[in-house]
């Protein structure tokens, strides 16, 4: 079970380097008080879309991996679509919905572990918060 | 030594189960479970209100529980206030002692406090205008008592933990009592972690108020104790109002009862108090010198085992002096939450995170928290070995 949760794809995502943006249009920081995960996320916006994204994640492997997915997938999305990702990832984890992004397939193994859902959701919630939700 | 003790805890008989999270919540001996059930089946009634048979039984059970707690603390029954938990007890202490504090006054806490003994003072200081300052800790998380100049003429209260919930470091309470009393300050002690490791005499330690939780002391949840010197409790105002704690009630005012009822507004946690009384009586029956020797040996094994694992760094005192069998650690390249998860999958229950002690995490440079293994009298060698084996496995998975 642990090998599935901590599969190489997750570890590779978590190991990706991250960088904050200088002079972003919007930023947000969210904490997970349960485990101490913290995600800070910066955005540049252009014509209602995410034009650039930077982030810094201090947290567990799942949180860092999910933050990388956000960084890779959110650029180019309409703000409304990007905001909706948090709910769609929540539905994937809690209600058996399909992964809203191909890279999230690796996170299906998190479904049975309710206490870890928050780790995956945190970067997506930070994205929504940075976009004003 | 631990076999007869373990036998009292049915949950520990589960195969492949290793409970090392007692600092968060201790397990219940059968006698406590049975006492609570017996009370609810044969004496469930409100206390100090009714005249019927069940009410009389409930009164006897509740008053008897208070006497049992008093015996555990080498105290008098009217010095024992039942609360909903240690957090509530510490909040009552802060609100009652803080009522008369204001600008120019000082409360001294420490960098090792659990949020429960820090936030009540911080939040109250914002309303009252007094200052809250912290005694620093050294690199092992021990309170630095070499310079107590913060405890000066402005100091009205010193509020510190008896033992850290993260490092297990035990505080020199008599030393702080001496310093506090020398300037006329009161000493509040958070005994949540200390009490599960043997009977405590807060008066002899020099404390003025002493708080602890039932659920960490082999008792039920929803029950805690605030012990106070009789003469101090008599001076303090109630902070919660309601039934059961007032005498004369007029149209615009009310006169509170004497302690301890003064601080027990509303229906108290009766069955939980009964359970706590039985738990502490069970503790009083243990051979504590033997228990402490066994805990020390297991802690030594654990510290030695951790030292042999690649990338593991112990957080807190590296030795066995003045410490509880509570051992925290970090592993290079592995987040505490991931380690705790993987250990849990192997039946090893530990806690990972900031442990409600954010200032201590900052002081020790632990941005991502740490993993804590907390032992109890029922812990055995197999538990410690399972942790060490599980940790080696977890490190392999995560790296």
């Amino acid at each position: 079970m642990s090998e599935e949760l901590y599969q190489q794809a997750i570890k590779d995502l978590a190991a990706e380097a991250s960088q904050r943006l200088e002079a972003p249009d919007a930023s947000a920081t969210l904490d997970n008080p349960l485990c101490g995960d913290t995600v800070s996320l910066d955005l540049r916006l252009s014509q209602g879309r995410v034009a650039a994204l930077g982030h810094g994640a201090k947290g567990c492997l799942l949180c860092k991996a999910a933050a990388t997915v956000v960084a890779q997938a959110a650029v180019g999305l309409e703000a409304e679509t990007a905001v909706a990702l948090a709910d769609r990832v929540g539905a994937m984890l809690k209600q058996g919905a399909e992964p809203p992004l191909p890279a999230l397939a690796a996170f299906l193994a998190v479904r049975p572990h309710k206490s870890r859902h928050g780790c995956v959701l945190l970067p997506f919630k930070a994205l929504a918060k940075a976009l004003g939700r | 030594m631990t076999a007869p003790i373990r036998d009292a805890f049915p949950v520990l008989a589960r195969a492949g189960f290793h409970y090392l999270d007692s600092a968060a919540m201790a397990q219940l001996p059968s006698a406590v479970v049975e006492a609570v059930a017996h009370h609810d089946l044969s004496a469930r009634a409100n206390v100090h209100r009714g005249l019927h048979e069940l009410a009389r039984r409930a009164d006897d059970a509740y008053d008897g529980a208070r006497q049992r707690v008093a015996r555990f603390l080498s105290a008098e029954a009217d010095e024992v206030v039942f609360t909903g938990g240690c957090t509530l007890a510490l909040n009552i202490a802060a609100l009652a002692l803080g009522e008369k504090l204001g600008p120019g006054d000082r409360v001294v806490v420490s960098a090792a406090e659990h949020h429960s003994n820090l936030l009540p003072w911080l939040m109250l200081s914002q309303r009252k205008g007094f200052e809250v300052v912290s005694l620093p800790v050294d690199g092992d998380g021990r309170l630095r008592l070499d310079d107590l100049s913060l405890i000066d003429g402005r100091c009205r209260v010193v509020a510190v933990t008896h033992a850290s919930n993260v490092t297990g470091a035990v505080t020199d309470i008599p030393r702080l009592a001496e310093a506090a009393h020398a300037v006329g300050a009161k000493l509040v002690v958070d005994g949540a972690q200390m009490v599960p490791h043997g009977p405590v005499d807060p008066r002899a330690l020099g404390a003025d108020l002493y708080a602890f939780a039932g659920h960490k002391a082999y008792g039920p949840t929803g029950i805690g104790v605030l012990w106070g010197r009789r003469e101090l409790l008599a001076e303090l105002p109630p902070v919660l109002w309601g039934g059961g704690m007032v005498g004369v009630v007029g149209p615009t005012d009310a006169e509170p009862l004497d302690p301890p009822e003064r601080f027990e507004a509303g229906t108290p946690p009766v069955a939980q108090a009964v359970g706590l009384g039985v738990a502490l009586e069970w503790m009083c029956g243990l051979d504590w010198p033997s228990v402490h020797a066994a805990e020390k040996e297991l802690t030594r094994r654990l510290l030695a085992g951790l030292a042999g694992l690649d990338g593991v760094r112990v957080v807190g005192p590296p030795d066995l002096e003045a410490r509880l069998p509570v051992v925290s650690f970090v592993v290079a390249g592995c987040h505490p939450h991931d380690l705790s998860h993987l250990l849990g999958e192997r039946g090893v229950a530990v806690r990972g995170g900031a442990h409600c002690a954010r200032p201590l995490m900052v002081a020790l440079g632990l941005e991502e928290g740490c993993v804590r293994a907390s032992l109890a009298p029922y812990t055995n060698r197999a538990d410690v070995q399972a942790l060490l084996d599980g940790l080696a496995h977890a490190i392999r998975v995560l790296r």
Side-chain angles (χ1 to χ4, degrees):
Chain A
M1 187 186 288
S2 57
E3 282 74 10
E4 190 182 1
L5 193 63
Y6 292 106
Q7 59 190 272
Q8 196 58 45
I10 296 277
K11 289 199 252 187
D12 290 345
L13 284 167
E16 289 279 333
S18 64
Q19 197 168 3
R20 303 289 302 271
L21 285 185
E22 288 187 15
D25 296 323
S27 291
T29 295
L30 276 183
D31 294 328
N32 181 349
L34 174 68
C35 58
D37 290 349
T38 299
V39 173
S40 297
L41 198 143
D42 308 315
L43 298 176
R44 254 187 229 116
L45 301 168
S46 175
Q47 299 180 322
R49 290 179 182 271
V50 176
L53 188 151
H55 78 283
K58 291 176 183 171
C60 68
L61 213 135
L62 297 178
C63 179
K64 284 182 175 173
T68 299
V69 172
V70 168
Q72 293 175 346
V75 175
L77 292 182
E78 288 184 353
E80 195 174 328
T81 305
V83 166
L85 275 176
D87 286 342
R88 296 181 68 194
V89 174
M92 176 192 90
L93 292 171
K94 300 173 195 299
Q95 294 153 21
E98 289 298 308
L101 300 166
L104 285 170
F107 292 83
L108 290 174
V110 185
R111 274 180 179 161
H113 306 283
K114 287 184 180 176
S115 63
R116 306 305 300 275
H117 290 178
C119 308
V120 178
L121 282 167
L122 195 67
F124 292 94
K125 288 182 174 177
L127 174 64
K129 185 181 177 188
L131 288 165
R133 177 170 164 184
Chain B
M1 167 64 215
T2 56
I5 293 176
R6 283 180 79 88
D7 290 347
F9 295 82
V11 70
L12 301 179
R14 290 169 54 186
F17 179 61
H18 303 283
Y19 193 72
L20 293 166
D21 198 20
S22 294
M25 184 169 311
Q27 294 300 329
L28 286 176
S30 301
V32 172
V33 177
E34 289 160 8
V36 172
H38 177 74
H39 175 85
D40 275 334
L41 290 171
S42 64
R44 183 177 168 85
N46 217 321
V47 290
H48 303 157
R49 290 157 171 82
L51 298 174
H52 52 81
E53 183 190 352
L54 287 189
R56 285 197 300 275
R57 287 187 197 171
D59 286 350
D60 289 345
Y62 189 63
D63 296 343
R66 202 188 301 278
Q67 287 169 358
R68 283 172 162 159
V69 175
R71 277 197 293 275
F72 180 86
L73 297 172
S74 300
E76 300 299 324
D78 62 0
E79 295 179 316
V80 173
V81 177
F82 281 124
T83 70
C86 190
T87 296
L88 182 55
L90 290 167
N91 271 269
I92 290 172
L95 291 168
L97 283 172
E99 178 66 26
K100 292 182 179 173
L101 301 188
D105 292 329
R106 167 180 283 184
V107 172
V108 176
V109 296
S110 89
E113 296 314 303
H114 187 284
H115 294 164
S116 295
N117 199 34
L118 170 67
L119 299 183
W121 293 108
L122 284 182
M123 296 302 110
L124 191 61
S125 72
Q126 292 178 7
R127 299 203 302 274
K128 294 285 189 175
F130 60 84
E131 70 169 351
V132 178
V133 296
S134 282
L135 294 169
V137 293
D138 65 17
D140 291 336
R142 289 194 187 280
L143 268 62
R144 288 190 52 188
L145 303 184
D146 51 322
D147 177 5
L148 293 178
S149 58
L150 288 175
I151 304 175
D152 62 11
R154 291 168 291 177
C155 179
R156 300 287 175 265
V157 178
V158 176
V160 293
T161 186
H162 197 168
S164 166
N165 68 313
V166 177
T167 67
V170 175
T171 306
D172 185 350
I173 296 299
R175 172 79 186 88
L176 284 169
E178 182 184 5
H181 294 157
V183 297
K186 300 300 183 192
L187 178 62
V188 179
V189 179
D190 173 2
Q193 294 299 328
M194 197 68 190
V195 161
H197 298 282
V200 169
D201 184 342
R203 183 180 288 274
L205 286 167
D208 295 295
L209 295 173
Y210 192 98
F212 68 94
H215 70 273
K216 297 187 197 298
Y218 322 102
T221 57
I223 182 74
V225 167
L226 178 64
W227 170 89
R229 291 176 185 268
R230 179 187 286 132
E231 56 275 23
L232 175 59
L233 290 179
E235 289 175 12
L236 294 178
V239 297
L240 299 170
W241 294 85
M245 51 75 67
V246 285
V248 177
V249 177
T252 60
D253 203 1
E255 184 178 322
L257 293 175
D258 290 335
E261 286 83 5
R262 176 184 300 179
F263 302 100
E264 296 180 356
T267 296
V270 182
Q272 291 84 349
V274 170
L276 177 59
V278 172
L280 297 184
E281 192 166 65
W282 173 81
M283 284 186 70
C284 285
L286 296 182
D287 174 5
W288 281 101
S290 296
V291 171
H292 287 150
E295 287 182 339
K296 202 166 190 172
E297 170 58 15
L298 290 173
T299 305
R300 187 196 63 74
R301 278 176 170 269
L302 179 52
L303 288 170
L306 290 172
L309 291 172
D310 179 39
V312 174
R313 177 169 71 87
V314 170
V315 174
D319 53 29
L320 298 172
E321 295 308 310
R323 73 167 303 148
L324 295 180
V326 173
V327 177
S328 291
F329 56 89
V330 291
V331 181
C334 302
H335 192 276
H337 208 194
D338 295 319
L339 291 166
S340 303
H341 182 110
L342 290 168
L343 286 166
E345 281 194 351
R346 290 170 69 97
V348 180
V350 295
R351 165 97 180 268
H355 308 285
C356 299
R358 188 65 72 178
L360 184 61
M361 296 296 114
V362 172
L364 297 178
L366 301 171
E367 281 189 356
E368 296 187 331
C370 53
V371 179
R372 179 185 68 191
S374 47
L375 286 56
Y378 45 66
T379 307
N380 63 15
R381 286 185 185 184
D383 296 329
V384 171
Q385 194 57 49
L387 168 60
L388 295 170
D389 293 344
L391 193 55
H393 167 78
I395 292 170
R396 282 196 298 274
V397 169
L398 292 172
R399 282 185 179 159

